Every structure is written in structure tokens, then in C-alpha cells.
């Protein structure tokens, strides 16, 4: 395997070129995450970067490295969302035409945000790798320049500029956690930080659904995994790049996996406790800390939150899933007689306990029910288990049957 050299000085030079066009994003101390994990946890808010993610760094780095003639011809990129917006933003800045290929399954918010920059957007395939194949075809046909999402040294240098900011903002950091899919941002940051502070541990965090780098570390070379949809769509890449893997193999200490449920709960945690909106790929590093994937304490830890491009509908669905998993949102099924006042009686029980009803529905059309009976389904938001226990007791005292009692007892115990 070819060995790629990327001296830290090159990354520093590239930073000087692009920094006037990017935001120097803040680093916050995450109090609750620190308390839960027993570490000093800092979160680098690259969700506040221009175009909503770190990708502008790599896009600018690549596009500022090519000739004016090549820029005039235009560039082509493939992305599930964030890289597309980074390239689109950079193309406007540099007055360069751009064609962006995105998977048909890309979040609508990311598709529309990319189109809003005035670039040509082509939807192709279900996954990033399908879009990348189409982008490569377009490059062959048009002779335009490909701005790869990760497997390019100029792009990697741009992403590596984050390493400079991290070391300036948190002195003597012990662990830096970075999302990994194709490996562009992790290879860039790891390459820089390890040359400046070899004692710092660089950890990749990947989705269980698409563990391409996790599997590549086992085989010692890029490894193709099956494509699956993931909340962390920005890192759902089925094979790590050969250039990125070469650098990852030299500079990264470990990689850990997080589940879809853990990512969902972390998105909600960051929103409630840090007042931060994170997309799935951006939240994975904090998920690794929140769910103790590293088994460390008393360490200074930086979690890189790479982006915040999440649409409202997805956020609501993810938050709902997380609330139900944490038993803060509970589904009660109540077998009740059909009468004029039973709905009022049931809702009054919840009102008496100051419990908010999120949604209520009935099932009179269910043929399996006895005549003149229906199932009232109440989705409610509870604060404590005791509240739920008292509501169940009140309903049963009134003669109502609580269905799926095992589910409720599991929550109450």
C-alpha cells in the first residue's frame, strides 16, 4: 500500500489560505456530559460552521488548490448532504460552476439547502456510494474536477485544519473523538494532532449500521460493508478510502461503534442539556461518551460535533423515538366502554396528575373488540414513574382495563 506523507506544516499553510473564509467555531465545556462520564468533556461546535458543517474546509482547500482554468470548467461532487453544501458554498465564493450528485434518500433539508446555492443537483441511487459512482461518470464525460468527499489529500488537509483549532482551544487534551465514515476528517485531524502531540489519543466513532472503518481495521485494508440507512447519514459510507485508510492506520488509536438508538438519544440530550442542534453524524462522538464506549475517567476529552444539518421532521421523529426509549413518553392502551363521557373521565385522570397528553386516538373499527367497547390509546409525557403508577391505579379503580400491562409494569418497576 502506498504511503502518503502529510507534514503538519502543509495543513498549517492550508489553514492560512482558507481561514478568512470560514468560521473559527466555538468549543464549549459540556457540564452534564462531563458529570455523567467522569471526564472533562468539551464539544467543538462545527455545526456553527458556514453551510452548517465542517465540509466547507475541505471543499475550499481542494478548490483553492486547482488552477483558475480548471475552476472555470467547473467541479463535480457526490454527497449525502454536507459535502454538497460545502462545495456549493465554495463554488459561489470562487465563482465556479458546480454539479452535485446526491442520493435520492438524502434528507430533504440537505437537498433543498444545496439547491438554494444555485448549483446543479442530480439525485441518483439510494446511498452515498451510488452517488459517487455517478459523479465519477460525469467527471469522465465532462473533464471537470472531482471534489471527493474524503479520499483526496487536499480535502484531507482542509479537514485537518480543525486539529489546529482543537489544540489551540483545549490545552493538553487527552482524547479527541471524531466521526468516521470515509475517513477524511478523522485522517486530517489525526495526522495533524499526532505530529504536534503524540500522547493524545485519536478515536474514531462510527455507526453500527455502516461500520466500514471498524471492519477495515480488522482486515488491515479498506473493507466494503453492506449499505444500510442510518440516522448518521453523513458517515454512512460503505468503504473507507485508500488514502484516508493509509493515514488512519498510522495515526488513529481506536474506533468505537454507536447504535442508532444511542445516536437518537444523544441528539435529544444535546438539545436539552447543551442547547445544541446536532445531526446524526455530528452527534456520534458525544454518544460514545454518553454511553461509555471508551471506559475512561478523569480525562480531558474533545468531542467533535461535525454538523447540524437536520430537518425539522427528522428531528421530531428522532426526539420522539428517544423519549419513548427513555420511558419519558409512554403509550397507554385503555379498554373502555363506548359512552358519552368516558373520554372526558380518562383525560381528567391525566389532568389531575398534571401529565401532558401528547396524542390520543381510538380504535372503534377494530373487529376483534367486543361490541360497544373501544381501545383508547393515550400517548403521554411523564416526569416520574410515580406519576404513571398513580394514573394506572386511578384508571383501574374506575373500572378501565390497562392493556399491554407488562410494558407498563416494566416502566414502573
Amino acid at each position: 500500500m502506498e504511503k502518503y506523507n502529510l507534514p503538519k506544516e502543509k495543513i498549517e499553510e492550508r489553514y492560512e489560505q482558507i481561514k478568512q473564509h470560514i468560521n473559527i467555531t466555538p468549543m464549549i465545556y459540556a457540564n452534564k456530559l462531563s458529570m455523567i462520564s467522569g471526564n472533562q468533556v468539551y464539544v467543538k461546535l462545527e455545526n456553527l460552521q458556514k453551510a452548517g458543517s465542517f465540509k466547507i474546509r475541505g471543499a475550499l482547500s481542494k478548490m483553492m488548490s486547482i488552477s483558475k482554468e480548471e475552476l472555470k470548467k467547473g467541479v463535480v461532487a457526490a454527497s449525502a448532504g454536507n459535502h454538497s453544501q460545502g462545495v456549493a458554498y465554495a463554488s459561489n465564493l470562487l465563482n465556479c460552476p458546480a454539479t452535485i450528485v446526491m442520493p435520492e434518500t438524502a434528507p430533504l433539508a440537505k437537498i433543498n439547502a444545496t439547491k438554494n446555492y444555485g448549483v446543479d443537483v442530480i439525485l441518483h441511487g439510494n446511498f452515498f456510494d451510488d452517488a459517487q459512482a455517478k459523479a465519477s461518470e460525469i467527471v469522465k464525460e465532462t473533464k471537470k474536477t472531482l471534489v471527493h468527499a474524503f479520499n483526496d489529500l487536499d480535502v484531507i488537509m482542509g479537514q485537518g485544519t480543525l486539529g489546529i483549532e482543537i489544540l489551540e482551544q483545549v490545552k493538553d487534551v487527552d482524547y479527541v473523538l471524531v466521526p468516521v465514515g470515509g475517513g477524511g476528517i478523522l485522517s486530517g485531524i489525526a495526522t495533524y494532532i499526532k505530529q504536534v502531540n503524540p500522547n493524545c489519543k485519536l478515536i474514531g466513532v462510527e455507526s453500527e449500521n455502516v461500520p466500514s472503518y471498524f471492519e477495515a481495521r480488522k482486515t488491515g485494508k479498506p473493507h466494503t460493508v453492506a449499505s444500510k440507512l442510518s440516522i448518521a447519514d453523513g458517515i454512512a459510507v460503505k468503504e473507507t478510502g485508500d488514502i484516508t485508510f493509509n493515514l488512519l492506520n498510522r495515526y488513529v488509536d481506536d474506533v468505537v461503534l454507536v447504535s442508532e438508538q444511542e445516536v437518537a438519544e444523544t441528539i435529544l440530550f444535546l438539545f436539552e442539556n447543551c442547547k445544541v442542534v446536532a445531526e446524526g453524524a455530528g452527534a456520534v462522538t458525544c454518544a460514545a461518551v454518553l454511553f461509555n464506549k471508551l471506559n475512561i475517567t478523569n480525562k480531558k476529552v474533545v468531542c467533535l460535533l461535525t454538523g447540524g444539518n437536520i430537518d425539522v421532521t427528522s428531528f421530531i421523529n428522532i426526539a420522539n423515538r428517544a423519549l419513548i426509549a427513555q420511558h419519558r413518553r409512554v403509550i397507554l392502551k385503555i379498554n373502555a366502554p363506548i359512552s358519552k363521557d368516558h373520554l372526558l373521565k380518562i383525560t381528567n385522570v391525566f389532568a389531575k396528575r398534571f401529565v401532558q397528553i401528547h396524542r390520543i386516538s381510538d380504535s372503534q373499527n377494530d373487529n376483534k373488540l367486543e361490541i360497544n367497547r373501544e381501545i383508547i390509546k393515550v400517548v403521554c409525557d411523564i416526569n416520574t414513574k410515580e406519576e404513571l403508577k398513580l394514573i394506572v391505579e386511578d384508571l383501574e379503580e374506575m373500572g378501565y382495563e390497562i392493556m399491554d400491562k407488562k410494558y407498563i409494569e416494566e416502566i414502573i418497576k
Side-chain angles (χ1 to χ4, degrees):
M1 183 181 286
E2 186 179 348
K3 189 173 182 179
Y4 296 92
N5 290 313
L6 192 52
K8 67 181 183 65
E9 289 78 14
K10 282 195 172 184
I11 296 173
E12 290 165 350
E13 286 170 14
R14 197 57 56 93
Y15 189 49
E16 290 304 312
Q17 285 181 291
I18 71 170
K19 73 177 182 181
Q20 63 179 313
H21 303 298
I22 64 172
N23 294 331
I24 311 304
T25 51
M27 180 83 72
I28 62 167
Y29 183 74
N31 285 292
K32 192 159 184 182
L33 199 52
S34 298
M35 189 171 59
I36 290 169
S37 68
N39 295 287
Q40 297 175 57
V41 182
Y42 298 83
V43 183
K44 173 72 167 164
L45 298 180
E46 200 67 0
N47 58 316
L48 301 180
Q49 187 53 263
K50 291 177 180 178
S53 87
F54 73 97
K55 287 290 190 176
I56 182 66
R57 295 173 185 264
L60 272 174
S61 174
K62 175 64 177 180
M63 292 167 69
M64 291 176 80
S65 73
I66 64 178
S67 69
K68 289 181 181 178
E69 289 73 23
E70 287 176 298
L71 277 178
K72 281 181 184 177
K73 285 182 185 177
V75 297
V76 180
S79 168
N82 287 341
H83 182 59
S84 64
Q85 290 174 71
V87 172
Y89 186 98
S91 72
N92 281 345
L93 193 67
L94 301 174
N95 196 26
C96 161
T99 301
I100 311 293
V101 187
M102 303 178 72
E104 293 171 10
T105 53
L108 186 60
K110 292 184 178 181
I111 294 172
N112 289 337
T114 305
K115 287 180 177 178
N116 287 341
Y117 285 105
V119 299
D120 293 328
V121 175
I122 297 170
L123 300 181
H124 179 82
N126 292 320
F127 303 101
F128 163 78
D129 302 274
D130 301 326
Q132 182 59 54
K134 182 65 175 177
S136 297
E137 283 179 23
I138 294 169
V139 168
K140 282 182 183 176
E141 292 167 5
T142 63
K143 308 302 181 189
K144 293 179 179 180
T145 300
L146 177 67
V147 183
H148 200 284
F150 51 85
N151 204 39
D152 181 291
L153 282 175
D154 287 303
V155 171
I156 291 166
M157 277 190 268
Q159 319 304 27
T161 61
L162 267 161
I164 298 171
E165 291 179 22
I166 288 169
L167 293 184
E168 286 176 350
Q169 292 171 321
V170 181
K171 309 298 181 189
D172 303 320
V173 58
D174 297 307
Y175 282 78
V176 175
L177 276 61
V178 182
V180 57
I185 188 169
L186 178 56
S187 61
I189 291 173
T191 298
Y192 183 81
I193 289 180
K194 280 293 189 179
Q195 290 180 63
V196 178
N197 179 7
N199 295 323
C200 180
K201 300 289 185 186
L202 271 295
I203 309 295
V205 186
E206 198 164 32
S207 163
E208 276 184 4
N209 269 21
V210 195
S212 52
Y213 177 52
F214 183 84
E215 293 299 328
R217 281 180 71 94
K218 292 180 185 177
T219 60
K221 60 183 179 181
H223 180 88
T224 304
V225 298
S227 293
K228 283 186 187 177
L229 292 176
S230 172
I231 293 172
D233 57 281
I235 55 172
V237 179
K238 65 182 182 182
E239 183 174 315
T240 309
D242 60 334
I243 298 173
T244 54
F245 181 77
N246 187 293
L247 295 168
L248 294 171
N249 204 33
R250 287 159 60 192
Y251 295 115
V252 173
D253 294 282
D254 202 0
V255 58
V256 296
L257 301 178
V258 289
S259 70
E260 297 292 293
Q261 187 61 53
E262 288 164 347
V263 177
E265 291 187 40
T266 304
I267 289 172
L268 182 61
F269 177 91
L270 289 167
F271 180 74
E272 290 186 315
N273 296 285
C274 301
K275 313 309 173 192
V276 165
V277 175
E279 62 184 273
V284 296
T285 54
C286 291
V289 173
L290 186 61
F291 292 94
N292 195 29
K293 300 295 180 175
L294 296 177
N295 195 26
I296 56 172
T297 54
N298 300 314
K299 300 295 181 183
K300 196 175 281 190
V301 180
V302 168
C303 294
L304 178 59
L305 197 161
T306 48
N309 292 321
I310 183 170
D311 64 81
V312 174
T313 303
S314 295
F315 182 84
I316 290 169
N317 289 338
I318 289 167
N320 181 62
R321 176 173 171 172
L323 287 167
I324 291 170
Q326 294 171 359
H327 297 150
R328 293 163 58 190
R329 178 164 288 169
V330 177
I331 304 163
L332 273 169
K333 294 180 181 176
I334 304 158
N335 191 329
I338 296 174
S339 67
K340 292 178 181 179
D341 62 352
H342 75 85
L343 197 56
L344 178 62
K345 287 179 181 177
I346 288 170
T347 54
N348 279 342
V349 169
F350 289 85
K352 185 176 75 173
R353 300 296 177 191
F354 302 101
V355 169
Q356 183 173 331
I357 293 175
H358 175 67
R359 185 173 295 169
I360 190 165
S361 61
D362 65 50
S363 58
Q364 290 185 21
N365 297 323
D366 191 334
N367 287 331
K368 295 177 183 177
L369 287 169
E370 295 176 33
I371 295 173
N372 296 325
R373 295 196 74 83
E374 64 180 329
I375 304 296
I376 304 297
K377 186 163 80 172
V378 181
V379 183
C380 62
D381 293 333
I382 64 168
N383 298 306
T384 65
K385 292 179 180 181
E386 185 63 22
E387 280 180 346
L388 180 61
K389 184 171 181 288
L390 292 170
I391 286 171
V392 169
E393 288 175 356
D394 289 348
L395 290 169
E396 288 182 331
E397 281 176 18
M398 294 166 68
Y400 294 112
E401 178 192 354
I402 306 299
M403 306 186 73
D404 294 342
K405 195 70 182 290
K406 253 187 178 178
Y407 158 73
I408 300 300
E409 286 171 349
E410 280 293 316
I411 298 172
I412 293 171
K413 73 176 183 182

